[in-house]
Amino acid sequence: GRIAGTFVQPVLENAVQGVQWLSKIDPGHKIRNIWLLCILYVLQEAPEIALRKQMHDMCILKSDIKESRISRFIRILTLCTLSFQSFTDAQYLPSMSPWLVQETFNTVSAASILLVDECYEVMSQSPYEQRKMIEKTLDLLLHIISAPLSSVTLLRALGAASHVLEKVGAVVFFEAVDDNLQHWGRMIFSLMNNTSLSVRSMAVDMTVSLFGIAFNEGGNIDDVAQVFLSVLPEVVAREIALYSANGLITTAESLECSLWPLRRAIADVEEADPFDDDRVDSQLSPFLRQFCRACQAVIDGVLIELRLQGNNCRIVNREVNMLGDKSRRMETSAKALPLSWTFDADEESLFEAASFFVPETCPLQRIRWLMTLKRLHEAKGQFVEAGETLILCSKTVAEAIPHIQNVWRPSQFELWTDLNVATWLSTIGCKSPQDQSGRINRQVMAFAHEFLEPATLRSLIISSSDHGNKTTLPRPNVPALCKILTTVAKDAVDMYDRENGMDPLTFGRLEELLKVIMGYVEEHAMTTIGIVGRRSAKVSRAQGVEEIASLRQVSATINELVTKMAERMLLLEEQGGTKGVLNNWTSHGFNAADTKTNKMFVFYVRVQLVGKKTNRFLESTTIPTFLDWNTPYICRVPSELLQKAMNGERFKYANKNMKKGQAFERFIEDEICAVFAEPYISFLQDEISESCIEFCTELPDELTIERKKSDMLFFVVTPVRNIRSSREYQSKKFQFKKIQSVENRGVSHLVEITVAKHFPCPLSRQPALLTTEVKS
């Protein structure tokens, strides 16, 4: 230690003065490595007091030097991280290489802590240099944790980052990281999926500290959370691709298993308790819980997007059958889906992921998940819900137009793509040194970038004038958003048309959208004209005129769709159609062969599971179930299932032999309930014995449930009537008559159920929020 202490001043001073020459030498050159090793030897072995004194002296600013000595010293540490990645090369002894890498990066992390501790307050007289020091130090630590180092080294680097955060506070931290905050989010999520429990715990600790300090100083975590959620899909896809590159993913189940550590770590963040952790304010807990739920929903969303690829799913040139070869399928008009997906809360996860993003700052992230939800509905044959999702997507675009200057766009992570900056990337997926060309990493990142923002969405904004740089995703302009709005609105009409009798709903939705757009057209036109009048550049004037023209064009397109829909409804009315929503539709002689009518045939059921739980409902490590045990849900029955029930032999026999009346209607309703329940019961039969499942259209009495709950599972599907609200064609209240026990036969009970959103909506099912029972 004393020998190293005597060399602190000459070694570090000479290194600081010659940093420009060291940076020009090849990172793997012998002379550069030896010189940098000498610096690290001094930093590791010299007494702490000597190092602190030297760092304190380097804080003194000299007017004749363009770059401060502290900045040059941090550059030296950065050169160390670049050069010492070469210690993983085969030229070093295999037994010595891991030790060299660990010791060098540990020393750099420790030096970073000393540097911030000693120099932050000293440099307060020069805020610019102070911020520059923090910025470069955090970049250095980000470089360290992005490399595949040992758990000990990663813990040291994360500890140094946490120390900087606590030392400087949230305001300075966010100013220093600036747009690199998204890269910190990438690395924190990546480390949460690390195989080492200690690394995952440290990443969780860093996340809690970051959000805790941000909330205490700023009062909210919205901006940080939206940045983190925007890059999470890319992180998830990259983790999957890395596992696949190493041959660890062959089935859909193994793919889901690769994300278990990340899910568990996010759950640990959600469980942060204000009573046990002074970093977590009691008012922060709800926001933290919402953020973590959205993270889980985004992970579900990535898995759903892979599922929708079916047997065409390719991950780093490896085919993965997402549908499964042996699993039974539930048939829909679009495609056959595995029964194992039946109870998955896939719709809810995608809707929750989309709802987290606000149109004012992250409209494209919101649109991305809504488009995935539309594809899911289309695959299930739920075309009305697909249309509702597209209408919500259109409104998102319209709401984003006035705030287009505030739209934030993510960028690619250089330390995951550039082999010149991160030389270790060439070793990903390589079994021999001769194959270290970086080819596998390019395939991994190509797969991951597709989930940062899908190519289908990027193609819609390709006309944007601001294409960003090579790494930042293009920023949309008003014409690009208008193009998206026009495309999505037309697709919504096509989706509504695929279910019978939805013209009144389509007309109402388009009218709502047109009102929103017209308001923005007039407001934006007046604002733009005023701005153009103050602009002198011809390009700006032309841009303003182009924006006004695009807005008026999309307004005219929506108006044309409204007009065509009104004309079609009038024509059908003249041909003898009955306008309106038919709740008691069976009494009106519904014919399954009808192809077009103004009648809106809607059918809703109440679904509830009681009794013995199956394994699917006991514990879930992948997409959770949409149906909570003992909780009633209201579900809309797609017209496809209505057609199936009407075309069945039982219906044909009843239609021919039964008298039309209440008994006939009840028979048809029970038949539709049975058709609706088929895929659910088929899945449950794979979980438990068929004799232990009882399907019924009325909830059994409490005595029956209590007597059989340990042995029997009751799957209850009850037809309900929707109560019209002030919003035409929409309902959020439903009723059904409850059958009484023998002793209460004389009393009739009417049960009313209320849900959160008006049906139809982007979700085909909703839990009951309020249930009231009234004697009639």
Side-chain angles (χ1 to χ4, degrees):
R2 288 183 296 176
I3 296 174
T6 60
F7 286 96
V8 168
Q9 197 272 338
V11 170
L12 295 185
E13 284 293 341
N14 287 323
V16 166
Q17 293 177 9
V19 64
Q20 68 273 20
W21 303 110
L22 284 173
S23 61
K24 293 179 180 180
I25 304 176
D26 186 82
H29 197 279
K30 183 177 180 181
I31 294 177
R32 172 166 154 168
N33 284 342
I34 291 176
W35 183 252
L36 294 177
L37 282 172
C38 291
I39 296 171
L40 287 188
Y41 168 74
V42 169
L43 292 174
Q44 186 179 46
E45 299 297 334
E48 182 179 325
I49 189 171
L51 293 175
R52 284 182 177 272
K53 183 180 182 305
Q54 182 60 34
M55 291 178 183
H56 187 279
D57 292 341
M58 285 191 289
C59 293
I60 301 174
L61 302 177
K62 297 183 179 180
S63 58
D64 58 335
I65 300 178
K66 293 183 180 179
E67 186 180 19
S68 67
R69 290 187 294 170
I70 281 292
S71 295
R72 292 186 176 187
F73 177 68
I74 298 175
R75 280 182 63 190
I76 291 173
L77 296 180
T78 305
L79 294 177
C80 291
T81 63
L82 291 171
S83 291
F84 299 151
Q85 291 180 41
S86 62
F87 288 168
T88 58
D89 203 327
Q91 63 177 312
Y92 296 96
L93 293 175
S95 59
M96 194 173 182
S97 178
W99 176 84
L100 276 173
V101 173
Q102 177 172 302
E103 289 302 310
T104 52
F105 281 93
N106 286 350
T107 304
V108 172
S109 300
S112 301
I113 295 176
L114 271 181
L115 181 67
V116 174
D117 219 23
E118 184 65 30
C119 301
Y120 180 69
E121 276 130 11
V122 176
M123 299 187 70
S124 59
Q125 296 180 352
S126 177
Y128 173 77
E129 290 294 337
Q130 185 186 49
R131 176 184 166 180
K132 190 175 180 181
M133 178 192 71
I134 298 300
E135 179 183 341
K136 289 182 175 293
T137 303
L138 289 172
D139 285 345
L140 170 66
L141 295 174
L142 181 64
H143 203 126
I144 295 175
I145 64 175
S146 67
L149 303 171
S150 68
S151 58
V152 174
T153 306
L154 292 174
L155 288 174
R156 291 280 184 90
L158 281 173
S162 296
H163 178 77
V164 174
L165 175 62
E166 294 174 4
K167 182 77 175 178
V168 305
V171 175
V172 177
F173 181 88
F174 291 134
E175 287 179 353
V177 296
D178 196 24
D179 202 42
N180 281 349
L181 179 63
Q182 58 179 309
H183 304 323
W184 278 96
R186 285 182 169 97
M187 288 315 309
I188 287 174
F189 282 131
S190 296
L191 295 176
M192 283 184 179
N193 205 46
N194 196 284
T195 55
S196 171
L197 175 61
S198 58
V199 174
R200 296 200 301 271
S201 299
M202 192 65 192
V204 169
D205 187 77
M206 176 74 180
T207 304
V208 173
S209 295
L210 182 63
F211 283 107
I213 295 177
F215 185 82
N216 291 336
E217 296 188 15
N220 68 80
I221 60 171
D222 294 346
D223 293 340
V224 183
Q226 296 213 27
V227 169
F228 275 40
L229 262 295
S230 296
V231 299
L232 178 57
E234 182 191 29
V235 176
V236 172
R238 182 175 181 269
E239 291 295 313
I240 292 172
L242 289 174
Y243 273 90
S244 179
N246 288 281
L248 299 176
I249 291 180
T250 55
T251 63
E253 290 75 16
S254 59
L255 187 151
E256 294 169 355
C257 291
S258 67
L259 301 173
W260 286 359
L262 175 59
R263 287 188 181 275
R264 180 62 258 178
I266 292 173
D268 290 340
V269 175
E270 184 177 359
E271 293 169 3
D273 191 348
F275 296 103
D276 297 332
D277 195 333
D278 58 1
R279 297 170 300 175
V280 182
D281 190 277
S282 59
Q283 296 180 353
L284 170 62
S285 294
F287 298 102
L288 207 56
R289 191 177 303 113
Q290 181 187 18
F291 166 74
C292 293
R293 283 181 56 88
C295 287
Q296 300 284 9
V298 167
I299 297 174
D300 294 343
V302 173
L303 295 178
I304 293 166
E305 288 182 336
L306 290 172
R307 283 180 173 186
L308 291 175
Q309 296 181 22
N311 295 330
N312 298 320
C313 179
R314 294 183 63 85
I315 306 174
V316 192
N317 289 335
R318 189 182 300 273
E319 292 187 0
V320 179
N321 185 355
M322 298 301 296
L323 298 179
D325 296 324
K326 299 181 180 180
S327 62
R328 291 189 291 165
R329 309 289 174 85
M330 53 178 177
E331 298 294 333
T332 67
S333 62
K335 62 174 68 174
L337 304 177
L339 285 174
S340 57
W341 301 0
T342 307
F343 284 100
D344 287 354
D346 41 15
E347 300 175 25
E348 290 77 6
S349 292
L350 290 172
F351 188 75
E352 185 171 2
S355 300
F356 188 83
F357 297 101
V358 294
E360 290 78 9
T361 56
C362 301
L364 295 176
Q365 288 89 325
R366 183 183 177 97
I367 293 169
R368 175 257 180 89
W369 293 118
L370 289 176
M371 296 297 284
T372 303
L373 179 58
K374 172 257 179 183
R375 289 169 52 208
L376 177 66
H377 283 311
E378 194 174 5
K380 290 182 175 182
Q382 299 167 344
F383 301 114
V384 171
E385 284 75 17
E388 290 287 298
T389 303
L390 290 174
I391 290 295
L392 181 58
C393 191
S394 301
K395 292 180 179 178
T396 299
V397 177
E399 292 171 4
I401 291 175
H403 309 279
I404 194 167
Q405 298 301 324
N406 301 325
V407 173
W408 178 80
R409 303 292 285 144
S411 60
Q412 297 177 9
F413 190 19
E414 185 182 46
L415 296 177
W416 280 355
T417 56
D418 193 343
L419 270 66
N420 295 321
V421 178
T423 57
W424 64 271
L425 293 174
S426 61
T427 64
I428 290 179
C430 299
K431 298 180 180 180
S432 62
Q434 292 76 20
D435 194 30
Q436 294 183 4
S437 61
R439 176 179 57 86
I440 302 297
N441 184 67
R442 287 192 293 272
Q443 294 175 354
V444 166
M445 292 314 301
F447 178 81
H449 288 159
E450 182 63 24
F451 287 84
L452 180 62
E453 187 166 274
T456 52
L457 184 56
R458 289 199 302 271
S459 64
L460 292 175
I461 59 173
I462 198 65
S463 61
S464 175
S465 59
D466 183 5
H467 294 281
N469 51 44
K470 293 182 179 180
T471 60
T472 305
L473 294 179
R475 179 183 296 276
N477 56 14
V478 172
L481 291 181
C482 290
K483 178 183 176 182
I484 296 175
L485 183 53
T486 303
T487 303
V488 170
K490 290 180 178 179
D491 289 346
V493 175
D494 292 339
M495 288 294 110
Y496 284 124
D497 280 347
R498 295 179 70 176
E499 285 211 25
N500 187 50
M502 292 299 163
D503 287 351
L505 178 64
T506 309
F507 180 79
R509 291 293 192 237
L510 289 175
E511 271 196 324
E512 293 175 6
L513 180 60
L514 183 60
K515 290 178 183 178
V516 174
I517 295 172
M518 287 300 294
Y520 287 139
V521 167
E522 298 302 325
E523 179 183 351
H524 192 80
M526 293 179 63
T527 306
T528 306
I529 289 172
I531 293 175
V532 169
R534 295 190 297 270
R535 288 175 177 169
S536 58
K538 293 183 179 180
V539 176
S540 298
R541 183 178 295 274
Q543 180 180 344
V545 173
E546 182 186 11
E547 290 177 358
I548 297 174
S550 299
L551 286 168
R552 295 199 180 280
Q553 184 177 6
V554 73
S555 176
T557 301
I558 304 299
N559 196 23
E560 182 183 2
L561 293 174
V562 172
T563 303
K564 288 182 177 179
M565 192 59 59
E567 291 174 350
R568 186 164 71 180
M569 289 171 62
L570 179 60
L571 178 62
L572 292 172
E573 183 72 20
E574 292 174 349
Q575 292 176 353
T578 302
K579 185 177 180 181
V581 182
L582 303 181
N583 296 320
N584 193 12
W585 51 270
T586 52
S587 62
H588 291 266
F590 171 64
N591 182 5
D594 287 346
T595 56
K596 205 64 192 172
T597 176
N598 268 5
K599 300 176 184 178
M600 270 188 67
F601 295 108
V602 289
F603 195 90
Y604 296 94
V605 294
R606 171 185 178 272
V607 181
Q608 189 170 355
L609 275 172
V610 294
K612 181 181 179 181
K613 283 189 178 182
T614 65
N615 292 333
R616 180 69 179 88
F617 292 87
L618 290 175
E619 184 179 1
S620 177
T621 52
T622 178
I623 299 176
T625 58
F626 79 88
L627 198 61
D628 295 329
W629 209 259
N630 287 330
T631 301
Y633 272 67
I634 299 296
C635 304
R636 191 189 75 87
V637 181
S639 63
E640 178 188 71
L641 294 183
L642 297 179
Q643 297 275 355
K644 184 177 180 180
M646 298 303 105
N647 292 328
E649 294 299 326
R650 286 170 55 84
F651 171 77
K652 292 179 180 178
Y653 177 82
N655 193 34
K656 184 177 181 180
N657 297 284
M658 290 183 68
K659 293 182 179 180
K660 303 300 184 289
Q662 290 187 356
F664 176 73
E665 289 187 13
R666 184 65 186 179
F667 173 83
I668 300 304
E669 289 174 347
D670 290 348
E671 186 65 19
I672 293 174
C673 291
V675 171
F676 178 84
E678 281 179 6
Y680 298 97
I681 293 177
S682 297
F683 171 77
L684 293 173
Q685 288 173 352
D686 292 339
E687 296 263 301
I688 60 176
S689 172
E690 183 177 353
S691 60
C692 296
I693 303 173
E694 183 174 327
F695 166 72
C696 44
T697 56
E698 296 290 343
L699 184 67
D701 59 76
E702 295 181 1
L703 291 176
T704 303
I705 296 174
E706 186 66 27
R707 188 173 67 252
K708 297 182 178 181
K709 69 178 182 179
S710 60
D711 301 317
M712 294 293 296
L713 183 153
F714 298 94
F715 188 74
V716 187
V717 182
T718 308
V720 296
R721 310 284 182 174
N722 54 314
I723 304 173
R724 294 276 298 278
S725 66
S726 58
R727 300 184 182 184
E728 194 173 7
Y729 313 119
Q730 298 183 69
S731 305
K732 63 186 299 185
K733 291 185 177 182
F734 303 85
Q735 290 180 343
F736 70 94
K737 282 189 176 181
K738 182 178 180 181
I739 297 179
Q740 299 303 307
S741 57
V742 177
E743 58 272 18
N744 294 323
R745 281 292 182 186
V747 182
S748 177
H749 283 242
L750 195 65
V751 180
E752 183 176 295
I753 301 174
T754 305
V755 296
K757 297 179 179 296
H758 286 84
F759 278 106
C761 67
L763 297 175
S764 66
R765 63 245 177 166
Q766 294 185 66
L769 290 184
L770 180 65
T771 302
T772 55
E773 190 171 325
V774 182
K775 291 183 180 180
S776 60

